[in-house]
Amino acid sequence: MKQLSNLFLFVAFLPLCALAQQTMDFEKYDPPSSLVVPEHKITRSKFPFLDVHSHHWNMATQDLTILAREMDSLNMGICMNLSGRGGAALKAITDNVKKYGLEHRIAVFTNLSFKGIDEPDWTSNAVKQIEFDVKNGAKGLKIFKSLGLSEKDAQGNYIHIDDPRIDPVWAKCGELGIPVLIHTADPKQFWEPLDENNERWLELKLNPGRKRTDTTPAPFDTLIKQQHNIFKKHPKTTFINAHFGWYANDLTKLGQLMDMYPNMYVECGAIIAELGRQPRASAAFFEKYQNRVLFGKDAYHPEEYPTYFRVLETADEYFPYHKRYHAFWRMYGMALPDKILKKVYYENALQIIPGLSRKAFEK
């Protein structure tokens, strides 16, 4: 009888073992697709492109021949380094670019420090810095997301994006004819509960420091409103809203904003996965706003550009993004017509960023 009892327990345990073998963590489940469809894996863009959103922190000293070779392999006509810092640091970058004879291929945006914003001469000094940097080759101003998220004044209060002390800076950029590329906030899901309903759950699990709350430092909608306030207050200044203004997942809303703020342009850095999962809506958006969409990538990783080319240029179906923690879904190509591709890749940027060479785009 004891042997029969043991046999019964063993047999009953077998399904549990099988079930345990079928269980895995969500982040490990990533099977290759069995779908058999045409594939066009592009490593080089159809037309030369201008990357309006790139970061190169050591450009003042690095060997730029390596970067130039990588740009050639991708068909990148101009690389826009948004990490110019300003002052002597920016001049060191532009001097190194000239040393390698790459003024027609590499350009730089300057940055501002908000430290000391309480000082009575901060505003005037900031304006003077912008003027100095433009004379030394800066083609625009890049504002990092730290404005609104982490920058504080002497009293420990977060500095608002629409702080009136910064108004003369936005106005000066308009006067000089240079654009302001501004990154505000983070994806809205970073403010949402970290549970099974959050599309960014895996990203936030792997990078818990990215999680936000309504008090660290403010609600998403509040930060975005502050950004839009400066667009409205400074209609003569051109603003490039980084990452589609974090509305790539709601193109109807973004379209309303485009109509509301004609001085606002958008660039597609780090949001190509959003466009790729709604190819028809994305293509319609690009058609309607074809003169105000720019190509941007953000973090410079040459191996990731082909994902962008494939979404913009092909009609491919159901292909993966290069970072699963950003997008666990598959994407589809938009198959943009050549006329719109050229505008996105370089024509729009050349229209709003002064003093850029057209040499790389006249092939």
Side-chain angles (χ1 to χ4, degrees):
M1 181 63 70
K2 185 176 182 180
Q3 290 179 335
L4 287 175
S5 177
N6 289 339
L7 178 62
F8 175 77
L9 290 173
F10 175 75
V11 172
F13 185 67
L14 286 177
L16 295 176
C17 291
L19 181 62
Q21 292 174 349
Q22 294 173 11
T23 301
M24 69 176 71
D25 294 333
F26 166 74
E27 53 263 44
K28 291 183 180 179
Y29 183 71
D30 190 22
S33 173
S34 61
L35 189 66
V36 180
V37 290
E39 293 185 318
H40 303 87
K41 296 181 179 180
I42 303 173
T43 59
R44 181 180 171 85
S45 63
K46 185 175 184 180
F47 302 108
F49 69 97
L50 190 161
D51 185 352
V52 74
H53 190 160
S54 194
H55 294 285
H56 302 265
W57 301 99
N58 300 311
M59 187 168 275
T61 56
Q62 73 184 83
D63 181 351
L64 295 178
T65 58
I66 298 173
L67 175 59
R69 285 198 299 268
E70 292 173 344
M71 291 170 60
D72 290 340
S73 70
L74 296 166
N75 204 16
M76 186 190 300
I78 294 178
C79 176
M80 190 66 63
N81 181 11
L82 300 187
S83 305
R85 295 178 178 84
L90 183 137
K91 188 175 186 306
I93 291 174
T94 55
D95 285 347
N96 197 39
V97 170
K98 291 177 183 177
K99 172 185 172 183
Y100 284 90
L102 292 171
E103 302 97 313
H104 65 298
R105 299 291 306 280
I106 298 173
V108 187
F109 273 35
T110 188
N111 311 128
L112 277 181
S113 170
F114 296 95
K115 184 178 180 180
I117 195 171
D118 303 275
E119 300 297 326
D121 59 352
W122 181 88
T123 298
S124 60
N125 286 338
V127 169
K128 290 176 183 177
Q129 184 204 311
I130 297 295
E131 293 174 329
F132 176 85
D133 291 341
V134 169
K135 289 179 181 179
N136 281 286
K139 304 301 183 184
L141 171 65
K142 163 63 192 296
I143 299 297
F144 293 98
K145 67 179 180 180
S146 57
L147 180 62
L149 282 180
S150 60
E151 299 282 0
K152 296 182 180 181
D153 63 19
Q155 288 72 45
N157 300 312
Y158 289 102
I159 302 171
H160 292 183
I161 299 158
D162 56 357
D163 189 306
R165 290 171 290 189
I166 313 175
D167 279 335
V169 170
W170 314 133
K172 176 56 67 173
C173 289
E175 178 187 323
L176 294 173
I178 61 170
V180 177
L181 194 151
I182 182 168
H183 174 173
T184 296
D186 276 323
K188 190 172 184 178
Q189 293 89 347
F190 287 9
W191 277 260
E192 295 174 352
L194 188 58
D195 58 22
E196 70 276 9
N197 296 311
N198 194 321
E199 278 190 322
R200 296 271 184 164
W201 175 86
L202 181 56
E203 179 176 1
L204 293 171
K205 179 188 176 184
L206 297 174
N207 302 278
R210 298 180 183 179
K211 184 72 178 71
R212 306 288 181 184
T213 72
D214 285 352
T215 57
T216 57
F220 171 85
D221 290 337
T222 297
L223 295 171
I224 296 301
K225 183 179 179 181
Q226 291 174 13
Q227 183 200 64
H228 295 170
N229 285 343
I230 67 172
F231 297 167
K232 181 179 180 179
K233 193 172 184 179
H234 298 277
K236 295 182 180 180
T237 301
T238 297
F239 292 92
I240 304 171
N241 203 342
H243 313 298
F244 264 48
W246 298 124
Y247 280 113
N249 64 326
D250 188 351
L251 294 177
T252 298
K253 172 67 174 179
L254 182 58
Q256 294 170 351
L257 295 172
M258 298 288 276
D259 295 340
M260 192 178 302
Y261 307 116
N263 58 327
M264 183 186 86
Y265 291 67
V266 292
E267 58 87 17
C268 61
I271 54 84
I272 198 70
E274 297 288 359
L275 302 178
R277 65 170 169 170
Q278 48 175 337
R280 290 186 292 275
S282 296
F285 182 90
F286 275 63
E287 170 69 30
K288 184 173 183 180
Y289 300 104
Q290 59 185 272
N291 296 320
R292 293 165 62 192
V293 180
L294 311 177
F295 182 94
K297 169 67 179 62
D298 198 357
Y300 178 74
H301 299 294
E303 69 278 6
E304 295 177 355
Y305 283 87
T307 300
Y308 287 71
F309 304 154
R310 196 174 182 186
V311 170
L312 296 173
E313 297 182 22
T314 80
D316 282 5
E317 298 184 291
Y318 202 75
F319 54 92
Y321 184 63
H322 50 259
K323 288 181 181 177
R324 186 170 179 272
Y325 72 82
H326 271 172
F328 54 83
W329 55 81
R330 295 297 192 260
M331 301 184 300
Y332 303 80
M334 296 161 56
L336 293 176
D338 288 355
K339 176 185 175 183
I340 295 179
L341 270 178
K342 289 179 181 178
K343 289 184 177 182
V344 173
Y345 274 156
Y346 65 92
E347 289 178 358
N348 292 340
L350 292 177
Q351 286 292 325
I352 65 172
I353 303 175
L356 296 179
S357 171
R358 295 176 179 265
K359 182 177 179 181
F361 308 102
E362 295 173 348
K363 299 177 182 179

